[in-house]
């Protein structure tokens, strides 16, 4: 069965702290794609990153970084030096063999000033 | 600018009424999706379409209907058969390949009064 688990329902940190959002996935496919999306209070989901199963190289984009580990089926997302504007709900998703997105339940991130 | 437009942003419905939510995209995407999001919850797939004149039920299609007469448009009708329609509805589109991200509209918040 295809499944994405985001065990952290809500995380609250003080501005400038680093924070890691966990994502664990299950799939029987050997080729698959993982995504992270951000949903700010306005409601629209914004694409952050895509990673395919053959590329385990970690990626850094400014204050954002992603750690993909096939051995533990995890695709964790770290925000360094968090800012209030990072407050949002973050979703991890897996594309299955039918090209459908399997969504995690989301993690609500609250950054306090 | 290219993107996805959902309208209206807020919609109120009386019990027993059908309502139609609009979703238009000018990204030339083949695939379009409708999701439902309840407070504090993840996204649940209602319907999706991978090509014009064809669509498939998602996980929670009961009480909803769609059409895909044009590539650009994928309207969702919430029928009176949907017993608990109050929710946030998100439309998305993608190129339809496993490695392509989905683009989302700003959502429609439907409230039954």
């Amino acid at each position: 069965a295809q499944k994405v688990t985001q065990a952290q329902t809500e995380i609250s940190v003080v501005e400038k702290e680093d924070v890691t959002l966990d994502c664990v996935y299950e799939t029987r496919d050997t080729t698959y794609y993982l995504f992270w999306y951000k949903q700010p209070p306005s409601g629209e989901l914004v694409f952050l990153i895509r990673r395919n199963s053959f590329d385990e190289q970690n990626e850094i984009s400014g204050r954002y970084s992603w750690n993909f580990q096939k051995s533990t089926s995890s695709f964790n997302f770290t925000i360094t030096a968090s800012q209030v504007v990072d407050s949002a709900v973050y979703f991890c998703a897996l594309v299955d063999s039918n090209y459908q997105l399997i969504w995690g339940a989301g993690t609500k991130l609250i950054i306090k000033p | 600018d290219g993107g996805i437009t959902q309208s209206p942003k807020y919609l109120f419905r009386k019990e027993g009424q059908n309502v139609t939510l609009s979703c238009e995209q000018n990204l030339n995407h083949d695939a379009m999706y409708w999701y439902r999001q309840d407070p504090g919850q993840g996204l649940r797939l209602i319907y999706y379409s991978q090509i014009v004149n064809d669509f498939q039920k998602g996980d929670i299609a009961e009480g909803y209907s769609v059409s895909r007469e044009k590539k650009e448009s994928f309207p969702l009708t919430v029928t009176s058969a949907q017993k608990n329609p109050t929710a946030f509805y998100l439309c998305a589109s993608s190129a339809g390949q496993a490695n392509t991200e989905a683009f989302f509209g700003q959502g429609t918040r439907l409230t039954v009064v």
Side-chain angles (χ1 to χ4, degrees):
Chain A
Q2 319 269 7
K3 186 179 179 181
V4 175
T5 301
Q6 293 181 257
Q8 304 150 309
T9 304
E10 184 174 304
I11 301 174
S12 180
V13 300
V14 177
E15 197 172 21
K16 298 183 183 178
E17 288 186 14
D18 299 346
V19 58
T20 295
L21 283 61
D22 297 333
C23 174
V24 175
Y25 62 92
E26 297 176 27
T27 180
R28 288 170 294 189
D29 295 333
T30 54
T31 301
Y32 52 89
Y33 295 85
L34 295 161
F35 296 79
W36 274 97
Y37 286 83
K38 174 181 180 180
Q39 186 179 37
S42 61
E44 179 179 349
L45 270 76
V46 177
F47 165 74
L48 294 178
I49 191 172
R50 169 184 57 244
R51 175 64 71 225
N52 73 57
S53 52
F54 296 109
D55 182 3
E56 289 194 67
Q57 189 172 10
N58 292 332
E59 182 154 340
I60 298 174
S61 176
R63 296 183 296 105
Y64 295 174
S65 62
W66 290 268
N67 184 343
F68 175 38
Q69 292 193 346
K70 288 180 72 172
S71 60
T72 56
S73 296
S74 65
F75 187 39
N76 297 337
F77 173 34
T78 297
I79 301 175
T80 302
S82 60
Q83 300 176 2
V84 173
V85 293
D86 295 326
S87 296
V89 180
Y90 291 85
F91 290 96
C92 180
L94 165 74
V95 173
D96 70 9
S97 55
N98 293 319
Y99 296 173
Q100 296 307 309
L101 279 161
I102 309 299
W103 294 89
T107 297
K108 183 176 183 179
L109 179 62
I110 300 170
I111 309 296
K112 299 177 181 177
Chain B
D1 286 351
I4 298 182
T5 302
Q6 286 187 244
S7 62
K9 190 171 182 179
Y10 298 96
L11 186 59
F12 297 89
R13 189 194 93 171
K14 292 182 179 179
E15 286 192 28
Q17 281 184 337
N18 292 354
V19 290
T20 298
L21 283 59
S22 171
C23 178
E24 303 278 332
Q25 55 101 358
N26 60 4
L27 300 168
N28 199 34
H29 283 164
D30 287 317
M32 296 188 74
Y33 312 83
W34 274 106
Y35 291 96
R36 170 177 171 145
Q37 186 178 28
D38 293 284
Q41 304 293 316
L43 280 69
R44 292 187 289 170
L45 183 64
I46 304 173
Y47 269 98
Y48 64 97
S49 168
Q50 294 180 320
I51 196 169
V52 175
N53 292 322
D54 186 54
F55 48 83
Q56 306 296 328
K57 291 182 179 180
D59 300 320
I60 56 165
E62 186 176 350
Y64 300 97
S65 65
V66 294
S67 63
R68 187 84 186 275
E69 297 176 0
K70 298 186 300 181
K71 189 175 186 177
E72 302 80 19
S73 179
F74 192 41
L76 173 75
T77 296
V78 184
T79 75
S80 57
Q82 170 51 236
K83 297 306 178 188
N84 186 21
T86 295
F88 187 56
Y89 292 87
L90 282 159
C91 179
S93 73
S94 77
Q97 303 301 315
N99 62 343
T100 57
E101 66 269 28
F103 292 80
F104 284 80
Q106 291 191 318
T108 294
R109 192 167 299 279
L110 174 63
T111 303
V112 174
V113 296

